[in-house]
Amino acid sequence: QMVRDAEKCAEEDKKRREAAEARNNADSLVHATEQQLAEHGDKIEPALKSEVEAAVAETKTAIEGGDPATMTEKAQALTQ
């Protein structure tokens, strides 16, 4: 009984840890990207700037949604 409970808790802990890592990674990437845009936004093409701003917005929405896979996907898209 105790072993089963421990295994169940371990799986839940792993999912929580993955979600926290995905959220932290996405948060820090959004923050860094926004800083770069604020500092250098006037030096890049408006079309590219709009594309980056849209990717930032999508990543923020994914963070609010809380799904680790979506957060990771949007964060990876933001790095492209």
Side-chain angles (χ1 to χ4, degrees):
Q1 174 68 32
M2 291 176 68
V3 172
R4 274 182 274 152
D5 288 345
E7 288 172 352
K8 181 180 177 187
C9 289
E11 185 65 30
E12 290 172 6
D13 288 346
K14 181 181 176 189
K15 288 179 183 178
R16 265 190 247 119
R17 187 170 45 256
E18 287 173 356
E21 287 174 5
R23 178 181 303 274
N24 290 342
N25 290 340
D27 270 337
S28 61
L29 189 58
V30 164
H31 178 71
T33 304
E34 287 177 332
Q35 262 188 323
Q36 291 294 319
L37 278 177
E39 290 178 26
H40 307 290
D42 57 336
K43 298 175 186 160
I44 62 174
E45 297 175 23
L48 179 59
K49 185 176 178 183
S50 294
E51 189 177 316
V52 172
E53 288 171 339
V56 167
E58 288 178 11
T59 305
K60 284 182 174 181
T61 300
I63 292 168
E64 291 170 8
D67 177 45
T70 305
M71 284 187 266
T72 301
E73 175 189 329
K74 296 300 180 183
Q76 287 177 347
L78 188 55
T79 63
Q80 298 300 314

